[in-house]
Amino acid sequence: NQATTQKGGRLRLGVAGSSTTDSLDPGKITDAMAQSINWQVRNCLVEVDPKGHPIPELAESWEPITGAAKWMFKLRQDVEFHTGKALDAEDVIFSIIIIVAKFKVGGQGIVDPIQDIAADGKHTVVFTLKEDNADFPFIMSDYHLTIVPAGTRGADWEKGIGTGGYALVSHEPGYNALTKRNPNYWKKGRAHFDEVETIGIADVTARATALNTGQIDAMNRFELKTIHLLKRVT
């Protein structure tokens, strides 16, 4: 209930799936910790709701044209990156093309259906696919396809610039990251915490102990056989 939602404070996440080689380049994300940080700082064109339906995120709407082999996505016009730059079609095209290029090096993967991507004005992007694909909007919710400012390269990836509810303060790959709430976040009813601390804890027993002793507030990859220990948390 948004009317009774408490805001503020720091959320501490204990996360398995971390490595000292972690990168915030979406095309190189392979496990949970970098994925979590990426979601904190960036958004996709589409998100999937709790019922499994694709709903608008950075795209305010989409529709197929020419059957389902071409899709037109209209972008929100009230979105800014953490730098203050307004989101536009150029950013989306850059972000998707970069991922397409990276994935084609080692296998086409999720971007295989995309044949071409082009702008139709400043706030519309048109995808041309190799063949009809009625599920294409779901593809645009993949965490690899988060949107970054056009021209992002090299060390820029590790700055974590995006349009997300939190902006990156610090990141020590494999160990911890700190993000702070984006005061200009465009998505209502999200990003309630002032800060999110993400801590890499590889061992499941250590994560569970940290949760039960109040060192962290949430964790992933809990062992079901020890779920009863959560009753100790008050």
Side-chain angles (χ1 to χ4, degrees), residues 59-70:
E60 66 178 14
S61 65
W62 56 83
E63 61 179 316
I65 50 180
T66 316
K70 186 173 287 189

Side-chain angles (χ1 to χ4, degrees), residues 175-189:
Y175 294 99
N176 58 69
L178 180 66
T179 60
K180 64 178 180 180
R181 189 182 186 282
N182 175 6
N184 298 318
Y185 194 37
W186 52 275
K187 190 183 291 188
K188 305 302 181 185

Side-chain angles (χ1 to χ4, degrees), residues 9-21:
R10 175 182 289 193
L11 174 66
R12 301 163 300 171
L13 303 175
V15 181
S18 60
S19 170
T20 55
T21 61

Side-chain angles (χ1 to χ4, degrees), residues 9-165:
R10 175 182 289 193
L11 174 66
R12 301 163 300 171
L13 303 175
V15 181
S18 60
S19 170
T20 55
T21 61
D22 281 349
S23 171
L24 296 184
D25 177 342
K28 296 180 180 179
I29 293 175
T30 60
D31 215 331
M33 184 169 180
Q35 183 177 339
S36 174
I37 300 165
N38 187 48
W39 279 134
Q40 292 171 41
V41 300
R42 298 174 179 138
N43 302 106
C44 290
L45 292 180
V46 177
E47 68 174 318
V48 177
D49 72 11
K51 295 182 179 180
H53 302 138
I55 60 174
E57 194 167 33
L58 293 179
E60 66 178 14
S61 65
W62 56 83
E63 61 179 316
I65 50 180
T66 316
K70 186 173 287 189
W71 289 81
M72 181 170 64
F73 285 73
K74 293 186 177 180
L75 306 180
R76 296 182 64 98
Q77 298 185 37
D78 59 348
V79 178
E80 292 183 349
F81 289 97
H82 301 142
T83 58
K85 178 194 180 299
L87 171 75
D88 60 28
E90 181 183 0
D91 302 307
V92 173
I93 292 172
F94 174 86
S95 301
I96 304 301
I97 286 177
I98 284 288
I99 298 302
V100 168
K102 290 178 178 179
F103 273 54
K104 285 186 175 180
V105 171
Q108 312 250 349
I110 58 169
V111 297
D112 183 55
I114 301 173
Q115 179 172 294
D116 185 48
I117 176 173
D120 182 6
K122 195 171 183 179
H123 297 103
T124 301
V125 178
V126 178
F127 292 87
T128 301
L129 311 183
K130 296 176 182 177
E131 59 186 12
D132 287 355
N133 189 334
D135 292 328
F136 184 67
F138 281 100
I139 293 175
M140 303 314 295
S141 70
D142 188 278
Y143 64 87
H144 295 102
L145 301 178
T146 49
I147 305 304
V148 299
T152 299
R153 57 178 56 85
D156 292 343
W157 294 106
E158 305 313 317
K159 296 177 182 177
I161 303 299
T163 57

